[in-house]
Amino acid sequence: MADAHATPHHDYHLVNPSPWPLVSSIAVVILFVGAVVWMKGLVPADSGPLASALLSEGKQPLFFAGLAGVLVSMAGWWSDVIKESRAGDHTPVVSIGLRYGMILFIASEVMFFAAFFWIFFEMAVFNEARAHIPEIGNWAETAAAWSTWPPKGVEVLDAWQLPLLNTVILLLSGTTVTWAHHALQVGDRNATKIGLAITIALGVLFTAVQAYEYNHILHENLFFNEEALNSGLYGSIFFMATGFHGFHVLVGTIFLTVCLLRLLAGQMTPEKHFGFEAAAWYWHFVDVVWLFLFAFVYVTFG
């Protein structure tokens, strides 16, 4: 097969065959199946030595195998894109396509989080309607639990403690990544490195604070306890929305770390640095999502 990068005579380039789309898809499936196994399990603990070791509740090997596959895919795929850029394949027309692609990706992420906000608002705003649901089987108890918001027995978090701290952390990280981007545009590489390093440190700090918050919720049984029977929807929505946001913060932190490593290697110029620009866009998106989470999940309906 001819090399897709050989002597191009147009503004576009054909990507060479790549294993990363398939590998990353398989890794993501393994990752999420592993998460289900870790939390709930897929088979009883007495299903046999191999099945119970991999698929029973609390087992983690599948999850971390999927996570490793995702990280390897990210490293390999991003490395290939960087090589294409340094080989001169990212012409102005291709660069426009990359920007459109990143914009559409962020738009799809907006809709992803819109689903979580939709169900949260539906439960929080129209909770009184649950009291009018007919008493059918065990559903009556669940409807009664959902008729108040937060549901009875659920102990909500104080929005003005750890959630406020994380809000300040992310807002500050938004300013530092903007500073770093501006510094790169004017050719100040040292300021860019400092701004990026601070942003990465703030991202790690945010993740650490959220992990501490999760540990407190689970250790104290704030959402899932005997008094909050049939009220598990609140905890499920909370962990899904804030947990996926935390995962996006982790991805964004890795994204920015790659940009910092590239800067330290002498790559990126004021004229050509879309990798960093895309990382900054993504980080600002993560900031905005958190502001909505803080305003509605923690403050307004908390």
Side-chain angles (χ1 to χ4, degrees):
M1 181 180 292
D3 188 351
H5 300 284
T7 60
H9 301 290
H10 48 74
D11 289 333
Y12 301 89
H13 77 276
L14 301 177
V15 180
N16 284 329
S18 172
W20 302 120
L22 178 61
V23 173
S24 60
S25 299
I26 294 173
V28 168
V29 171
I30 295 174
L31 174 69
F32 283 103
V33 170
V36 173
V37 170
W38 190 353
M39 292 182 286
K40 293 293 184 180
L42 293 179
V43 300
D46 56 355
S47 298
L50 182 60
S52 61
L54 294 178
L55 301 177
S56 61
E57 182 178 352
K59 301 302 181 183
Q60 306 170 10
L62 209 60
F63 174 84
F64 285 106
L67 179 61
V70 169
L71 294 176
V72 169
S73 300
M74 291 168 63
W77 205 338
W78 284 352
S79 177
D80 287 350
V81 174
I82 292 171
K83 291 175 182 176
E84 292 168 6
S85 174
R86 294 180 61 80
D89 292 326
H90 290 180
T91 64
V93 172
V94 173
S95 296
I96 291 175
L98 290 172
R99 282 171 166 76
Y100 285 157
M102 191 64 192
I103 291 171
L104 290 174
F105 169 70
I106 292 176
S108 71
E109 293 287 272
V110 170
M111 300 311 298
F112 176 81
F113 280 99
F116 295 123
F117 283 109
W118 187 292
I119 183 61
F120 189 87
F121 290 155
E122 199 278 336
M123 296 301 300
V125 175
F126 301 105
N127 58 285
E128 294 181 0
R130 305 294 179 274
H132 304 295
I133 296 176
E135 297 186 5
I136 303 175
N138 295 331
W139 175 246
E141 298 178 359
T142 302
W146 291 355
S147 63
T148 59
W149 195 266
K152 182 180 179 181
V154 171
E155 298 181 45
V156 298
L157 298 168
D158 186 349
W160 309 111
Q161 294 185 8
L162 292 180
L164 178 61
L165 173 61
N166 261 350
T167 302
V168 173
I169 290 172
L170 273 192
L171 288 177
L172 182 58
S173 72
T175 62
T176 55
V177 76
T178 301
W179 167 42
H181 186 204
H182 175 73
L184 181 58
Q185 288 177 317
V186 299
D188 189 348
R189 297 180 66 86
N190 287 332
T192 303
K193 295 171 186 176
I194 295 171
L196 254 183
I198 294 174
T199 306
I200 293 167
L202 291 171
V204 173
L205 180 59
F206 176 93
T207 303
V209 172
Q210 189 169 47
Y212 177 83
E213 179 185 80
Y214 277 15
N215 180 69
H216 172 68
I217 294 170
L218 297 174
H219 184 265
E220 301 295 333
N221 294 319
L222 300 184
F223 298 164
F224 306 104
N225 53 66
E226 293 183 0
E227 295 182 5
L229 289 177
N230 302 308
S231 303
L233 184 64
Y234 180 91
S236 298
I237 296 174
F238 178 90
F239 282 118
M240 287 292 285
T242 61
F244 270 111
H245 174 267
F247 175 74
H248 283 71
V249 170
L250 180 61
V251 172
T253 303
I254 296 173
F255 203 168
L256 292 171
T257 301
V258 172
C259 292
L260 179 58
L261 293 175
R262 291 186 63 193
L263 278 167
L264 294 174
Q267 300 178 21
M268 296 190 181
T269 65
E271 297 78 21
K272 191 173 183 180
H273 56 267
F274 176 68
F276 181 39
E277 194 172 350
W281 291 357
Y282 187 84
W283 196 255
H284 288 310
F285 158 74
V286 169
D287 286 355
V288 172
V289 171
W290 177 258
L291 289 177
F292 276 91
L293 287 171
F294 177 73
F296 295 106
V297 174
Y298 286 100
V299 178
T300 305
F301 298 113

